[in-house]
Amino acid sequence: MSSSSIRNRLTLLALLSATTFYFVYKSRRINKLLSLSLNLKKTSPEKGKLFFISQTGTSKTLARRLHSLLTSQNFPFDLIDPQNYEPEDLPKETLIIIIASTWEDGKPPEAAKFFTNWLAESANDFRVGSLLLSQCRFAVFGVGSKVYEKTFNLVAKDLSKKMRELGAVEILPVVEGDVDGGELDVVFEHWSRRLVGVLKGGDQAGIGNIESVVKMESEDDNHYDVDEDDEEEEEVQSEVVDLEDIAGKAPSRRSVNIAETNGTVKNGKRDMVTPVIRASLEKQGYKIIGSHSGVKICRWTKSQLRGRGGCYKHSFYGIESHRCMEATPSLACANKCVFCWRHHTNPVGKSWQWKMDDPLEIVNSAIDLHTKMIKQMKGVPGVTMERITEGLTPRHCALSLVGEPIMYPEINSLVDELHQRRISTFLVTNAQFPDKIKELRPVTQLYVSVDAATKESLKAIDRPLFGDFWERFIDSLKALRDKQQRTVYRLTLVKGWNTEDIDAYSKLFSLGNPDFVEIKGVTYCGSSVTSKLTMDNVPWHSDVKAFSEALASKSEGEYEVACEHVHSCCVLLAKTEKFKVNGQWFTWIDYEKFHDLVASGRHFGSKDYMAATPSWAVYGAEEGGFDPDMSRYRKERHHKSKPWNHRVEDQE
């Protein structure tokens, strides 16, 4: 017998052995599942199972709310985190409710991957069959964000499909909750009431009706296999969905009726700020302008009105904090950052799809609302009439309140309106709209948020809506190189997330060649279901200083640490060649000269309107960036439970 023949026989033998082992393993697993299925009536638990698939806590919160409602209606359920559940027990269950979030790229949260993978594997195994969960009734509520388009509530829809493929009966169609639509609570409450009604109605509500199940599956096949043309048509025609329609109770999505809770629609465009979102933002102190803009008085504006010190922009650039107006022409953003200090109560989107207000009206309304808030400071201890009078004439506008100002199609006209009033402009962009940066006319200072230095960390921290977010980020940095006015990289340090990437951050400097690099510790804004951050993620000022010094060192003299504001946990790096003249820093701004240059219409650069930095604002100064002309106010905080933790902190 030839050697080649022996090799062929050995190969065949190995293949047969592997195949036999695989089928033995699968056979045992299937027998176990089938035996569980056949003994359902003997082993079925009395309680239903209420699963929550949650990443940030939203689904968990909704599940707890539903659990309380079901308990009050005498429907006993176990509230279950799927990571603590054995999926092999699913064939024993007779009633399952799932509240499911969709996480990155349409995938489930990490804690639920084993559970969802088990379902997918079982549904795709032809030998398991379609009767494995035939004794189970179920319903799924999805929690996602519509701005993610094709992956919107993909986990919930997939769970529903797999459960039905395994024989389970769906007692309610999947309802897709939108966390960014402003109506999640309303939609969930409506769905919960329907669920209770179905449970009370039993089989009389259509539960267990084979024909209805077959019909649902047939409709579902059409839903999942829709071609691209139909999908685009549906997306255009269902941009605003009626509340009843979302719950599966009203006519087709193509109905022209639109619920008032979604905001008004004019000429095919809807308001960016729905009544629900408006109420949430106003509760936080925002003054909403028109249909998409906002203004809010900053705590540092109040502080300097009281003579208690200004913000870090006062220390770094000479801003008069009590004359600074914080505003935005676009409350919408293209990111859902983990450290968002607005807890994602603002809208999100990848392009302008809303009604658009006139820039002149926005500026006039912003100034009017801002001055009204300044007037309300009269009589507050420390506030003088001199400062009130100055505050009533704003000289600066920080276009960084919330959202993405550069998304506003008329941003250039709005900036022009401000400059004509000799109001300086500090504009912040989240580095996702490079073309808008290129089109932007001169502003006093242009910021790009650099929240991470690698693709992986940027995705984890900013949670961007764009699939090509990294390319947009890099192109946004490159767009800064051609700007002649002052440019800034703004880094927000989140301990445990992005504080170890000094080398990677350093490599980004050459892309945008910024004049300054602001490095600030993240501000903890309390607990939120949209963020896992805690006080452990907030760096101390010493941490920020160490990071800043290391980053400056990496630049080999191109940048040096120029200023600091201890209270804000913020440090400034400045380009040595431009802003250090004869050993003195010139990071401040000559605002009057800037306005003269803008009015002249001629080209000018960042060196043409710089001013000397006072000694108290320079890095390492005893004052730590606190203006000595102000009165420092400290508040004692006594921690009674831990008296040894007593310390004196600055008044916030």
Side-chain angles (χ1 to χ4, degrees):
M1 185 180 294
S2 64
S3 59
S4 61
S5 177
I6 294 174
R7 283 197 301 270
N8 290 338
R9 292 191 177 191
L10 289 174
T11 301
L12 180 59
L13 180 61
L15 179 61
L16 289 172
S17 299
T19 304
T20 301
F21 177 80
Y22 173 78
F23 278 104
V24 168
Y25 164 75
K26 282 294 184 179
S27 178
R28 289 181 177 178
R29 180 174 181 272
I30 293 167
N31 287 336
K32 180 179 179 181
L33 293 177
L34 289 176
S35 65
L36 289 172
S37 179
L38 293 172
N39 291 303
L40 278 172
K41 293 184 178 180
K42 297 180 180 179
T43 59
S44 294
E46 295 181 359
K47 289 186 176 181
K49 296 294 188 291
L50 174 54
F51 293 93
F52 58 86
I53 295 176
S54 186
Q55 178 68 32
T56 61
T58 304
S59 292
K60 185 176 181 179
T61 300
L62 295 176
R64 284 176 171 171
R65 189 187 308 170
L66 177 59
H67 186 261
S68 297
L69 174 63
L70 292 170
T71 301
S72 70
Q73 297 294 319
N74 296 319
F75 291 114
F77 273 81
D78 289 327
L79 187 61
I80 297 177
D81 185 336
Q83 67 179 333
N84 301 321
Y85 181 81
E86 174 52 63
E88 299 281 0
D89 291 335
L90 277 175
K92 301 177 183 178
E93 310 297 350
T94 57
L95 183 58
I96 291 175
I97 310 298
I98 305 175
I99 314 298
S101 292
T102 298
W103 195 233
E104 294 176 351
D105 301 323
K107 298 176 182 177
E110 189 67 31
K113 281 187 177 179
F114 182 75
F115 180 86
T116 55
N117 287 344
W118 186 94
L119 270 178
E121 182 182 340
S122 299
N124 294 330
D125 192 330
F126 71 93
R127 288 160 303 168
V128 172
S130 59
L131 297 177
L132 181 66
L133 304 182
S134 60
Q135 299 299 314
C136 180
R137 299 175 298 164
F138 79 98
V140 181
F141 184 90
V143 179
S145 174
K146 190 172 287 187
V147 295
Y148 287 99
E149 298 176 346
K150 292 183 178 180
T151 63
F152 175 52
N153 274 314
L154 192 59
V155 170
K157 290 184 286 190
D158 194 53
L159 282 170
S160 169
K161 189 176 183 182
K162 299 305 181 189
M163 291 284 287
R164 283 184 282 109
E165 287 175 355
L166 290 170
V169 177
E170 191 166 32
I171 59 178
L172 281 177
V174 176
V175 171
E176 302 176 39
D178 182 10
V179 296
D180 296 312
E183 302 163 1
L184 177 62
D185 287 341
V186 176
V187 174
F188 183 74
E189 182 181 353
H190 182 75
W191 178 81
S192 299
R193 289 200 304 267
R194 287 195 65 202
L195 176 64
V196 170
V198 170
L199 293 178
K200 286 182 176 180
D203 287 337
Q204 296 176 2
I207 302 170
N209 187 307
I210 299 298
E211 292 182 2
S212 67
V213 175
V214 172
K215 181 180 179 182
M216 250 195 290
E217 288 182 341
S218 175
E219 292 173 349
D220 180 76
D221 289 339
N222 293 332
H223 175 75
Y224 280 96
D225 295 330
V226 67
D227 60 40
E228 291 183 1
D229 292 336
D230 290 340
E231 191 172 52
E232 290 176 1
E233 180 183 353
E234 180 172 344
E235 181 177 341
V236 170
Q237 297 188 9
S238 64
E239 183 177 25
V240 181
V241 184
D242 186 87
L243 178 60
E244 292 290 324
D245 183 30
I246 291 176
K249 194 174 182 178
S252 165
R253 281 189 174 189
R254 290 178 168 80
S255 171
V256 296
N257 296 325
I258 297 172
E260 292 182 2
T261 51
N262 280 320
T264 58
V265 176
K266 183 178 181 181
N267 298 326
K269 297 289 185 179
R270 59 190 173 94
D271 288 350
M272 176 187 292
V273 181
T274 66
V276 175
I277 294 176
R278 180 183 293 269
S280 175
L281 291 172
E282 287 179 343
K283 187 176 180 180
Q284 297 175 55
Y286 289 87
K287 303 299 181 183
I288 306 302
I289 303 167
S291 64
H292 56 73
S293 306
V295 64
K296 184 181 181 184
I297 190 169
C298 173
R299 74 179 183 92
W300 287 109
T301 299
K302 299 176 184 177
S303 177
Q304 195 155 5
L305 281 171
R306 302 178 72 183
R308 294 183 174 184
C311 69
Y312 73 89
K313 292 191 288 291
H314 173 61
S315 302
F316 295 176
Y317 315 118
I319 284 281
E320 298 174 278
S321 299
H322 66 302
R323 307 186 74 181
C324 182
M325 177 175 69
E326 194 173 21
T328 181
S330 171
L331 289 160
C333 187
N335 289 340
K336 296 169 72 67
C337 304
V338 296
F339 54 75
C340 178
W341 59 323
R342 310 303 181 192
H343 297 314
H344 306 123
T345 49
N346 55 303
V348 289
K350 296 194 291 188
S351 62
W352 193 270
Q353 53 187 311
W354 304 279
K355 287 167 50 181
M356 186 174 66
D357 300 328
D358 182 75
L360 177 60
E361 293 178 1
I362 294 173
V363 172
N364 286 339
S365 296
I367 294 174
D368 180 56
L369 290 169
H370 176 77
T371 53
K372 286 180 179 178
M373 288 185 282
I374 294 293
K375 289 177 182 177
Q376 291 174 1
M377 291 295 293
K378 289 181 180 179
V380 174
V383 174
T384 64
M385 280 309 300
E386 179 185 3
R387 293 198 194 98
I388 284 285
T389 302
E390 290 176 342
L392 292 175
T393 308
R395 296 266 53 91
H396 317 286
C397 181
L399 293 166
S400 61
L401 176 63
V402 68
E404 178 59 87
I406 210 168
M407 282 181 70
Y408 176 52
E410 292 295 329
I411 185 63
N412 281 322
S413 297
L414 184 135
V415 167
D416 288 345
E417 290 291 345
L418 291 167
H419 288 170
Q420 288 172 15
R421 293 166 171 77
R422 299 184 78 81
I423 297 175
S424 66
T425 49
F426 278 37
L427 188 148
V428 180
T429 175
N430 291 318
Q432 289 296 291
F433 297 94
D435 292 338
K436 293 287 188 180
I437 294 176
K438 295 173 184 176
E439 297 166 2
L440 187 67
R441 293 176 192 162
V443 294
T444 312
Q445 191 154 285
L446 175 61
Y447 288 78
V448 168
S449 293
V450 182
D451 299 327
T454 65
K455 183 176 181 178
E456 293 74 20
S457 55
L458 187 69
K459 182 177 182 179
I461 292 173
D462 279 3
R463 295 163 58 198
L465 307 185
F466 286 106
D468 59 342
F469 66 92
W470 182 250
E471 291 75 16
R472 288 174 170 272
F473 173 74
I474 295 298
D475 288 343
S476 294
L477 299 187
K478 291 179 179 178
L480 286 194
R481 293 184 66 90
D482 298 327
K483 295 297 177 182
Q484 301 302 309
Q485 290 70 47
R486 295 162 65 109
T487 56
V488 186
Y489 279 6
R490 184 164 78 168
L491 280 61
T492 301
L493 296 188
V494 186
K495 209 169 185 179
W497 289 71
N498 62 357
T499 54
E500 307 299 326
D501 300 325
I502 292 177
D503 288 339
Y505 275 116
S506 179
K507 292 176 182 177
L508 296 178
F509 283 9
S510 61
L511 297 179
N513 196 28
D515 290 323
F516 304 98
V517 180
E518 280 183 12
I519 305 166
K520 188 179 187 299
V522 67
T523 301
Y524 179 64
C525 301
S527 60
S528 165
V529 296
T530 57
S531 174
K532 290 184 180 181
L533 297 187
T534 68
M535 281 300 295
D536 291 335
N537 299 115
V538 179
W540 293 94
H541 186 61
S542 57
D543 299 324
V544 176
K545 287 174 63 175
F547 183 95
S548 304
E549 290 170 1
L551 196 55
S553 178
K554 285 286 182 183
S555 74
E556 298 181 345
E558 185 179 6
Y559 294 87
E560 291 182 13
V561 185
C563 304
E564 67 178 322
H565 191 249
V566 176
H567 192 143
S568 297
C569 202
C570 191
V571 171
L572 179 71
L573 306 188
K575 212 170 183 61
T576 313
E577 181 184 11
K578 276 188 178 182
F579 301 101
K580 196 172 188 180
V581 182
N582 297 325
Q584 182 179 5
W585 285 110
F586 281 73
T587 66
W588 275 36
I589 296 172
D590 185 333
Y591 294 99
E592 294 306 315
K593 191 170 184 180
F594 169 79
H595 291 302
D596 291 340
L597 290 167
V598 170
S600 72
R602 65 176 186 267
H603 293 290
F604 63 96
S606 56
K607 293 182 69 174
D608 294 327
Y609 57 102
M610 65 183 189
T613 309
S615 60
W616 54 264
V618 173
Y619 187 71
E622 182 181 354
E623 294 87 350
F626 186 86
D627 189 340
D629 289 337
M630 298 284 123
S631 299
R632 191 154 195 166
Y633 177 79
R634 297 175 183 270
K635 182 171 73 173
E636 279 196 15
R637 292 180 177 175
H638 296 275
H639 303 277
K640 295 181 179 180
S641 59
K642 295 182 180 179
W644 55 86
N645 277 347
H646 166 265
R647 70 183 187 188
V648 178
E649 295 182 353
D650 288 330
Q651 167 69 44
E652 294 189 347

